[in-house]
């Protein structure tokens, strides 16, 4: 009787742990077969594992494309749950990235030989592009010295921030942004598991906002589902992340091209305030439409240069109100140039 109760309690406890996890972790792929993209990379890594000749790896590419999930799945395939903690050292962005961490935990882990387990150890350095140059040079020497005993996997977003000496010692794989065709089935799996209501426009909005980042897609999905009682449509998705809707962008363009400066400024400022929109997001969306409007080429180039200057200024924390004025002024100038050419 008591054993049944204990089993039931354990099962409920495990269920609760899974329920409390963010969806990004809850639905993280557990094995290489669960990964939804980069089949050529996965096939190559699988071959390395089968032939027992895994090299040092350098996985790079944009966030949310499966780099960390891939190497964790590899680690689970290589080691049993019992030996995982003793055979794998994982350091991420929350850890110190100076030379001390390389000469301390990394060196002591890599230099210790495996006594009770066969094979090599695995060191996973996530966000390796945040490491200092001195730390990378120290790491290069450790990689060289302990190859027989340890394999290293470096994960980064920017390959250019990894020194050439480390790049030449690793087999590099680039993880590109995921396509909508790869993302949608996985999102549908999460939607079915969580029993939430997502329509086609809502799904398109998730994929568009994610821009190939699966982690962002799941975070936005969870946020919207929680905020709107499981109803995920286009309006709810855009409202939840404070991103301008397509019809808002069309209205903004219409005001800038057809109204006088004061009216356009007043209306756009009111829209920004009421919907909590950032000028940076508005410029990003207007940029797409700027290529669709039938402007003469030299006028379009002039407009894009102005928009680029405004975006550059925003990154340095300049006043949004002043930059909004400059943004509207750029379109007013373009309008005058078009009228002048037409006449």
């Amino acid at each position: 009787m008591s054993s049944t109760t204990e089993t039931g309690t354990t099962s409920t406890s495990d269920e609760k742990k899974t329920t409390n996890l963010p969806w990004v972790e809850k639905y993280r792929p557990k094995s290489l077969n669960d990964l939804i993209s980069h089949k050529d990379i996965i096939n190559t890594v699988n071959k390395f594992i089968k032939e027992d000749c895994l090299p040092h790896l350098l996985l790079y590419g944009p966030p949310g494309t499966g780099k960390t999930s891939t190497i964790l799945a590899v680690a689970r395939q290589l080691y049993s749950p019992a030996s995982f903690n003793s055979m794998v050292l994982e350091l991420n962005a929350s850890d110190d990235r100076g030379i001390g961490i390389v000469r301390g935990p990394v060196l002591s882990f890599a230099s210790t030989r495996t006594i009770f387990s066969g094979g090599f150890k695995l060191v996973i350095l996530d966000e390796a592009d945040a490491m200092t140059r001195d730390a990378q040079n120290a790491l290069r020497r450790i990689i060289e010295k302990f190859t027989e005993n340890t394999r290293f996997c470096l994960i980064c977003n920017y390959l250019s921030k990894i020194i050439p000496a480390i790049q030449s010692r690793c087999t590099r794989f680039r993880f590109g942004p995921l396509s909508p065709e790869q993302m949608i089935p996985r999102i549908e799996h999460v939607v079915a598991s969580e029993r939430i209501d997502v329509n086609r426009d809502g799904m398109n909005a998730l994929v568009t906002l994610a821009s190939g980042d699966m982690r962002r897609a799941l975070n936005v999905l969870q946020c919207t589902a929680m905020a709107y009682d499981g109803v995920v449509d286009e309006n709810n998705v855009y409202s939840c992340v404070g991103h301008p809707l397509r019809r808002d962008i069309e209205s903004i363009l219409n005001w800038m091209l057809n109204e006088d400066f004061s009216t356009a400024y007043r209306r756009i400022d009111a829209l920004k305030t009421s919907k909590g929109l950032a000028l940076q997001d508005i410029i990003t969306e207007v940029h797409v439409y700027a290529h669709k409007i039938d402007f003469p080429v030299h006028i379009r180039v002039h407009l894009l240069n102005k928009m680029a200057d405004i975006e550059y200024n925003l990154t340095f924390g300049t006043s949004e109100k002043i930059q909004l004025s400059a943004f509207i002024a750029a379109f007013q100038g373009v309008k005058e140039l078009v009228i002048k050419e037409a006449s």
Side-chain angles (χ1 to χ4, degrees):
M1 184 85 172
S2 62
S3 62
T4 311
T5 312
E6 280 171 18
T7 311
T9 311
T10 309
S11 154
T12 312
S13 166
D14 290 344
E15 221 172 90
K16 195 174 178 184
K17 278 182 188 174
T18 312
T19 309
N20 291 340
L21 281 175
W23 291 356
V24 170
E25 293 303 325
K26 187 176 177 181
Y27 295 101
R28 185 184 285 278
K30 297 291 187 291
S31 70
L32 288 172
N33 294 331
D34 294 338
L35 292 159
I36 61 172
S37 63
H38 312 299
K39 295 298 177 189
D40 50 342
I41 296 174
I42 291 161
N43 290 338
T44 306
V45 171
N46 254 327
K47 198 168 183 182
F48 285 147
I49 294 169
K50 281 175 187 171
E51 295 183 6
D52 196 24
C53 60
L54 188 75
H56 302 300
L57 299 173
L58 176 55
L59 313 181
Y60 67 99
T65 52
K67 302 184 295 295
T68 305
S69 295
T70 299
I71 193 59
L72 289 176
V74 167
R76 286 191 196 97
Q77 192 163 321
L78 285 170
Y79 310 110
S80 66
S83 64
F84 190 91
N85 289 334
S86 62
M87 297 295 282
V88 179
L89 174 67
E90 186 187 0
L91 297 173
N92 56 37
S94 62
D95 300 301
D96 179 23
R97 284 317 171 85
I99 198 166
I101 201 81
V102 176
R103 287 179 174 167
V106 174
L107 177 59
S108 60
F109 181 83
S111 59
T112 311
R113 291 200 168 270
T114 55
I115 301 170
F116 301 108
S117 305
F120 50 80
K121 292 181 168 185
L122 181 65
V123 176
I124 302 170
L125 295 173
D126 209 343
E127 309 292 346
D129 43 5
M131 292 176 74
T132 63
R133 203 165 186 81
D134 286 343
Q136 289 190 43
N137 279 310
L139 181 64
R140 171 196 60 80
R141 179 66 183 136
I142 292 171
I143 291 174
E144 202 172 59
K145 193 173 180 183
F146 299 107
T147 296
E148 190 181 333
N149 187 49
T150 312
R151 296 293 182 275
F152 288 81
C153 176
L154 280 70
I155 302 170
C156 65
N157 295 334
Y158 304 102
L159 182 65
S160 58
K161 293 187 178 179
I162 304 295
I163 61 171
I166 286 183
Q167 289 188 38
S168 69
R169 286 166 172 78
C170 299
T171 300
R172 297 181 297 179
F173 291 110
R174 182 180 185 277
F175 285 68
L178 305 180
S179 67
E181 292 74 25
Q182 292 168 328
M183 294 176 73
I184 288 172
R186 189 66 184 170
I187 295 172
E188 285 174 343
H189 166 70
V190 175
V191 166
S193 301
E194 296 295 332
R195 297 175 186 173
I196 54 180
D197 180 22
V198 181
N199 63 20
R200 184 179 292 177
D201 287 342
M203 182 68 75
N204 290 338
L206 285 170
V207 172
T208 303
L209 284 175
S211 301
D213 181 340
M214 193 68 208
R215 187 188 295 119
R216 189 178 183 203
L218 290 181
N219 281 332
V220 173
L221 176 65
Q222 183 174 14
C223 179
T224 310
M226 298 297 174
Y228 295 96
D229 297 324
V231 178
V232 181
D233 57 24
E234 187 179 39
N235 282 344
N236 291 349
V237 169
Y238 281 103
S239 300
C240 194
V241 298
H243 200 84
L245 288 158
R246 279 177 296 180
R247 62 171 175 269
D248 292 335
I249 297 300
E250 286 164 6
S251 298
I252 288 168
L253 273 169
N254 181 46
W255 295 333
M256 289 194 295
L257 291 171
N258 298 314
E259 303 286 352
D260 62 84
F261 179 90
S262 300
T263 306
Y265 180 88
R266 191 171 61 254
R267 288 181 176 177
I268 295 170
D269 192 46
L271 181 69
K272 276 177 79 261
T273 306
S274 65
K275 295 204 170 185
L277 304 178
L279 183 57
Q280 178 81 48
D281 292 334
I282 291 172
I283 290 173
T284 303
E285 291 300 318
V286 167
H287 171 260
V288 176
Y289 282 83
H291 287 280
K292 295 177 183 175
I293 302 171
D294 191 19
F295 288 139
V297 174
H298 67 282
I299 291 178
R300 184 181 286 115
V301 169
H302 170 76
L303 175 63
L304 292 173
N305 273 329
K306 292 280 187 187
M307 287 171 65
D309 288 340
I310 294 162
E311 187 179 41
Y312 180 78
N313 292 339
L314 283 170
T315 61
F316 286 92
T318 53
S319 165
E320 275 216 4
K321 287 188 177 291
I322 294 172
Q323 296 308 316
L324 175 60
S325 300
F327 184 49
I328 297 167
F331 274 86
Q332 296 278 317
V334 162
K335 181 170 73 173
E336 287 173 12
L337 283 173
V338 170
I339 292 168
K340 190 177 176 182
E341 286 219 351
S343 60

